[in-house]
């Protein structure tokens, strides 16, 4: 069995459990704004994935499934049940893998600026170039180039504090964590069939200004089990750019589906 990594976490509030998984070069502080809005009425748990935040890094060569199994081991150890799981971007890839392998632990799940599609051939080449870049030049330069692409033009021009925060969080990522995540994302499978499965309710949140994952790549399925929220002014970082809208979408999805 592949190595399981014990995940650092933070929890607050009481009520239905909402588990939040950050994206690439992020950590649990990606969710601070959303956490503050949800925890007065929900039990909110935020995680650091392997090589990110306070969770240790391991040798690259693992998969998105391995990262999802870290989350599953965490859930089992904490004894959490009927969880509402949401992943931002890379966190969404991990969320989908959990929905595929462990649907019984979920009350519902959501992709926040994420997609069920795999990488295109061009994206795979860019991941490999990223691996070389981080190996040769380290994390700081890589993150410096990454961060501006994550937000909308408006955020880029007017919200320098958001850019600064994203940079500060990003450069804390362990180089092995960056390389491991790049390889895992490059090799991930198409999980559209998981999204299509109507046995679990699904929330899809997209940003109208997202230059990394366009709304078309997020809204790939229809059905009565699917709730879609398009936040027109958000880039890839609605959790920082439009935290009220993202939190509202999550809270109403959870409250609606926990009644069932
Ligand atoms: C993320 O924010 O997690 C990344 O943009 C995901 C990706 O590169 O596919």
């Amino acid at each position: 069995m592949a190595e399981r990594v014990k995940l650092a976490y933070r929890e607050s509030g009481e009520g239905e459990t909402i588990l939040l998984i950050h994206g690439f070069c992020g950590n649990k502080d990606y969710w601070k704004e959303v956490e503050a809005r949800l925890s007065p009425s929900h039990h909110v748990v935020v995680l650091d994935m392997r090589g990110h935040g306070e969770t240790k890094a391991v040798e690259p060569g693992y998969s998105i499934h391995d990262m999802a199994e870290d989350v599953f081991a965490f859930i089992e150890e904490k004894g959490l049940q009927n969880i509402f799981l949401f992943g931002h971007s890379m966190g969404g890839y991990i969320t989908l893998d959990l929905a595929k392998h462990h649907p019984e632990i979920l009350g519902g799940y959501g992709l926040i600026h994420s997609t069920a599609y795999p990488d295109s051939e061009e994206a795979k080449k860019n991941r490999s170039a990223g691996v070389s870049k981080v190996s040769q030049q380290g994390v700081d330069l890589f993150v410096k180039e990454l961060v501006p692409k994550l937000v909308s033009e408006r955020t880029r021009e007017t919200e320098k504090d958001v850019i600064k925060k994203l940079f500060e969080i990003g450069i804390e990522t362990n180089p092995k964590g960056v390389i491991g995540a790049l390889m895992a994302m490059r090799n991930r499978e198409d999980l559209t069939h998981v999204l299509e499965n109507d046995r679990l309710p699904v929330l899809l949140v997209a940003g109208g200004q997202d230059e990394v994952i366009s709304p078309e790549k997020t809204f790939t399925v229809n059905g009565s089990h699917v709730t879609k929220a398009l936040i027109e002014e958000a880039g890839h970082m609605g959790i920082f750019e439009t935290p009220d809208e993202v939190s509202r979408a999550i809270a109403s999805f959870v409250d609606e589906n926990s009644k069932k």
Side-chain angles (χ1 to χ4, degrees):
M1 194 174 100
E3 183 187 0
R4 293 287 153 257
V5 176
K6 199 172 165 60
L7 304 180
Y9 71 101
R10 179 172 65 228
E11 66 186 322
S12 52
E14 284 175 17
E16 294 290 337
T17 296
I18 298 179
L19 186 57
L20 301 170
I21 306 179
H22 64 76
F24 176 54
C25 290
N27 67 34
K28 50 185 160 9
D29 287 347
Y30 256 28
W31 295 105
K32 269 212 156 149
E33 295 294 324
V34 170
E35 211 181 340
R37 286 160 175 81
L38 294 178
S39 61
S41 48
H42 301 85
H43 173 218
V44 182
V45 185
V46 291
L47 300 173
D48 281 340
M49 301 313 295
R50 46 173 77 185
H52 291 67
E54 294 172 319
T55 295
K56 75 169 186 176
V58 295
E59 279 312 312
Y62 49 84
S63 63
I64 290 291
H65 178 60
D66 292 323
M67 297 172 88
E69 288 298 306
D70 292 345
V71 179
F72 183 61
F74 170 85
I75 290 169
E76 287 215 301
E77 198 182 324
K78 286 276 287 173
L80 299 174
Q81 286 170 357
N82 200 41
I83 297 155
F84 286 87
L85 178 67
F86 300 92
H88 173 254
S89 201
M90 178 184 79
Y93 312 154
I94 296 166
T95 295
L96 272 171
D97 189 274
L98 269 150
K100 174 179 175 183
H101 292 280
H102 305 289
E104 70 289 348
I105 59 165
L106 301 177
Y109 67 96
L111 307 185
I112 315 292
H113 308 303
S114 190
T115 181
Y117 289 157
D119 269 3
S120 64
E121 287 312 310
E122 191 193 344
K124 286 183 184 178
K125 283 193 195 127
N126 290 337
R127 302 282 192 204
S128 302
V131 168
S132 309
K133 186 160 202 159
V134 176
S135 313
Q136 286 160 19
Q137 302 174 346
V139 172
D140 288 20
L141 187 62
F142 180 80
V143 170
K144 198 170 176 203
E145 288 175 6
L146 173 73
V147 165
K149 298 180 204 151
L150 299 178
V151 295
S152 70
E153 198 179 338
R154 194 192 66 81
T155 305
R156 222 162 19 237
E157 279 164 15
T158 61
E159 302 208 33
K160 301 289 177 213
D161 52 327
V162 169
I163 303 282
K164 184 165 171 274
K165 187 78 202 154
L166 291 173
F167 180 70
E168 284 167 359
I169 290 176
I171 59 170
E172 289 298 313
T173 316
N174 188 299
K176 274 192 207 165
V178 179
I179 291 171
L182 280 168
M183 290 165 59
M185 291 192 289
R186 179 186 65 197
N187 298 336
R188 75 186 192 278
E189 52 181 333
D190 187 342
L191 291 181
T192 306
H193 64 284
V194 178
L195 268 191
E196 282 166 352
N197 183 340
D198 63 6
R199 273 176 301 175
L200 274 178
V202 174
L203 173 67
L204 301 175
V205 175
Q209 313 303 312
D210 192 337
E211 294 166 21
V212 181
I213 297 177
S214 65
E216 297 73 51
K217 287 190 175 161
T218 300
F219 299 145
T220 55
V221 295
N222 292 306
S224 57
H225 66 301
V226 181
T227 304
K228 296 179 186 173
L230 175 64
I231 305 173
E232 200 45 67
E233 64 276 26
H236 190 58
M237 285 288 155
I239 50 180
F240 283 89
E241 301 176 280
T242 55
D244 284 337
E245 288 80 352
V246 174
S247 306
R248 258 201 306 273
I250 292 176
S252 50
F253 173 79
V254 170
D255 296 346
E256 176 62 28
N257 288 293
S258 55
K259 285 187 217 132
K260 288 178 182 163

